[in-house]
Amino acid sequence: MRCNAKSISFFQIDQLQLGLPSRDYFLDEQSDRDLDAYLTYMTEVSHILGANQSYAAQELRKIIEFEKALANISVEEVNRIDTSAIYDKISIKDLTAKVPQINWMTYFRELVKPLPIDENEKIVSYSTPFFVDLGKLLGQTDTRVIHNYIIWRLVMDLMPHMPPQYEKTRADFRKILLGVLTDR
């Protein structure tokens, strides 16, 4: 079976979600309280996982700075309402030319393994300018920060499914950030 179809694209890519509900949490000058709560949450979770609390806080502060940079290059939701305006059907080869810092062929091959694809495969990007800026950002960011960010995002996504000792720190964070007293 070939992935390349004339009428549809099997792949769609878009800008990533941030660790907080919107980019404004990272960019608004009034968000210091929320960012402090986020750092506390990150540090407490890392400590439960076995990290040294003061060292973890230093490393996690770098993740927040990286997420601020990601927020700066992301497109505001108000500018994403008209999906036809941001729709970009592009081949993997052309995307690689625009964003050479990411090995797109490896990414997509791993996604559909064992199905064969080639660089002429068309994908739909809803955020090509974001990916161009992301490539530049990745090129100037310490690999350790990127790795720690990826690990943190994985842990954060798993938090609702973690053992009970993680519930209090997550509940405390959600209470400050969202005013939510319990998970629903």
Side-chain angles (χ1 to χ4, degrees), residues 74-138:
S74 67
V75 179
E76 293 181 78
E77 287 304 314
V78 70
N79 297 328
R80 297 172 46 78
I81 294 170
D82 180 6
T83 55
S84 64
I86 59 175
Y87 179 96
D88 182 17
K89 194 167 188 177
I90 186 171
S91 70
I92 295 172
K93 180 181 181 177
D94 290 341
L95 182 62
T96 299
K98 287 184 177 192
V99 189
Q101 300 88 346
I102 298 173
N103 188 332
W104 293 105
M105 216 43 241
T106 298
Y107 175 77
F108 288 114
R109 277 193 179 131
E110 289 299 316
L111 230 93
V112 297
K113 204 177 209 173
L115 299 176
I117 62 168
D118 63 38
E119 63 183 9
N120 296 314
E121 184 75 36
K122 296 284 188 180
I123 61 144
V124 172
S125 171
Y126 288 102
S127 207
T128 303
F130 168 80
F131 288 111
V132 170
D133 289 341
L134 176 62
K136 293 173 189 171
L137 178 61
L138 292 174

Side-chain angles (χ1 to χ4, degrees), residues 169-183:
T169 188
R170 183 169 185 264
D172 290 347
F173 170 63
R174 290 171 54 85
K175 183 178 177 184
I176 292 168
L177 189 70
L178 306 170
V180 176
L181 299 178
T182 60
D183 283 334

Side-chain angles (χ1 to χ4, degrees), residues 11-56:
F11 301 113
Q12 295 181 0
I13 59 174
D14 202 347
Q15 67 186 23
L16 53 80
Q17 265 190 308
L18 299 166
L20 295 176
S22 79
R23 67 193 297 272
D24 297 335
Y25 283 89
F26 293 99
L27 304 179
D28 189 341
E29 292 178 10
Q30 306 298 317
S31 293
D32 287 346
R33 177 189 68 106
D34 297 326
L35 291 174
D36 288 343
Y38 188 42
L39 178 61
T40 298
Y41 173 56
M42 295 167 81
T43 304
E44 288 175 1
V45 169
S46 297
H47 182 65
I48 294 170
L49 288 170
N52 172 287
Q53 200 157 359
S54 61
Y55 179 74

